[in-house]
Amino acid sequence: MYSFSYHRPASVAEAADLIANAADGKLVAGGQTLLPTMKHRLASPSDVIDLGAIAELGGIVVNGNIVTIGAMTSHAEVAASGEVQEAIPALAALAGNIGDPAVRNRGTIGGSIANNDPAADYPAALIALGATVRTNRREIAGEDFFAGMFETALEEDEIIVAVDFPRPEAAAYMKFENPASRYAIVGVFIARTADGARAAFTGATDCAHRAHRLEEALANDFSPAALADFQAPVDRMNADIHASAEYRAHLVRVMAQRAVAACA
Amino acid sequence: MKIDLTVNGRAASGEVEARTLLVDFLREQLRLTGTHVGCDTSQCGACVVMVDGKSVKSCTMLAIMAAGCDVTTIEGLANGAELHPMQQAFMDNHGLQCGFCTPGMVMSGLDIVNRHGRDLDAATVRRELNGNICRCTGYQNIVKSIREGARAMGD
């Protein structure tokens, strides 16, 4: 790892000042992606601004039908939260199956979505549940937040504060995981809401996206059988040593059917 | 940069670079070499230690991030010559062959007990060990050791 200057601000405002004034600064949340990337020398920031001491970025609050999760909330905290388990059990289950227990103790929701790994789990949940990302400047719809591989709508010096999740009628996330990394080879998140079915997939293409065609297929018949003939576009699927494009297209349908079944 | 923290119940301090990993601080400055570096890529779990009571991979945390924290390593478990029940269970059940992964297995075993209690079924232990890799034993005796160690912790 190349050397850098380390900062540990106590407030979002202070962190925003630090990142704005750094030559090539990086915010670090749990560091479970950034530190390995820096060890490989694929990233070499001049300044690392650790968000770990900022109390206002933590915590889980349920207010009516909105579950608010602070950006620095760890995957382990979301998985173990009675409030999340009650309001959106699929979200608690998703968080409890990211990486491994030690990674879940450090990794955070804010770090995960800001990184936007093409195979990350949380992005699919934000899109399908119609979540809203709140930053120190504005609110961004989950659907508009994920822009491409490791790209988001965030400005260089913008800081995620929290994510608001509306409570669905039912939801489920199914992923076919890489057995070593637990990243999704394909993951599909399905939510049944008052406005109809919402769906998103991850791991299949450049990053998580809303699955409009899955939603249309479920519009009149919210059942696994409604997806029996569903074909994901093979030419848009990722292909790598873990799975071919054809296999990923197949997995989109199978994971979607399982997620719909689990919503029942 | 100077850091002050608590390691195995005692105050510790040291001068580190910002980029110093927690595992390197523990091994090279405090000479607590029981915590191992297996893969250095957050996958194998040989470097697992407790930070404020939670398991972390110390190869994927900066030492400076642990400033002010309470860190427990494998060296902090035994009571003098008397092994911790989880360590004793690994010994009794042949829960290791080469032993390189064992410090992380024991620390993760304690983390499993913290979260799931002392009556553990094998499926839970296997699922919760998915961040710890052993290249010798095939896990059978590791799972057995953790289940027995968990039970023995109540005695």
Side-chain angles (χ1 to χ4, degrees), chain B residues 13 17 48 54 69 75 77 84 98 103 116 128-129 135-137 141:
Chain B
S13 61
E17 284 188 75
V48 169
K54 291 178 179 163
C69 292
E75 290 90 345
L77 300 185
H84 185 282
C98 87
H116 293 278
E128 294 290 337
L129 272 186
R135 298 289 79 158
C136 305
T137 69
N141 285 354

Side-chain angles (χ1 to χ4, degrees), chain A residues 117-188:
Chain A
D117 189 288
D121 298 307
Y122 266 127
L126 266 71
I127 295 168
L129 290 169
T132 302
V133 180
R134 280 196 280 118
T135 76
N136 57 335
R137 293 187 194 156
R138 57 183 168 146
E139 296 188 347
I140 308 167
E143 197 178 338
D144 302 329
F145 184 82
F146 304 101
M149 187 165 70
F150 300 114
E151 293 284 337
T152 68
L154 290 170
E155 300 293 330
E156 285 296 319
D157 53 355
E158 191 170 8
I159 300 172
I160 301 167
V161 174
V163 183
D164 294 332
F165 291 93
R167 184 197 297 247
E169 291 173 0
Y173 177 61
M174 290 290 155
K175 74 168 162 176
F176 194 84
E177 64 189 22
N178 178 314
S181 70
R182 312 280 159 178
Y183 270 107
I185 292 174
V186 168
V188 177

Side-chain angles (χ1 to χ4, degrees), chain A residues 1-4 6 28 31-32 35-36 39-40 50 99-102 104-106 182, chain B residues 1 18-19 21 40-42 54-57 59-62 64-65 115 128 130-131:
Chain A
M1 187 182 317
Y2 292 109
S3 60
F4 54 86
Y6 175 83
V28 66
Q32 300 303 285
L35 292 177
K39 284 159 78 170
H40 284 300
D50 184 354
D100 63 57
R104 291 196 287 275
N105 280 334
R106 294 288 303 161
R182 312 280 159 178
Chain B
M1 306 175 86
R19 61 180 169 174
L21 299 170
D40 207 16
T41 55
S42 357
K54 291 178 179 163
S55 64
V56 304
K57 292 186 162 172
C59 81
T60 311
M61 181 171 179
L62 300 173
I64 192 79
M65 288 171 161
R115 289 180 294 111
E128 294 290 337
N130 73 11

Side-chain angles (χ1 to χ4, degrees), chain A residues 8, chain B residues 2-7 12-13 22 25 51-52 61 63-71:
Chain A
R8 194 171 171 86
Chain B
K2 184 164 184 292
I3 59 167
D4 295 295
L5 67 169
T6 303
V7 178
S13 61
L22 177 58
F25 172 72
V51 176
D52 290 339
M61 181 171 179
I64 192 79
M65 288 171 161
C69 292
D70 189 351
V71 176

Side-chain angles (χ1 to χ4, degrees), chain B residues 141-152:
Chain B
N141 285 354
I142 293 173
V143 173
K144 202 171 155 191
S145 302
I146 290 176
R147 294 183 69 198
E148 188 176 304
R151 279 193 295 270

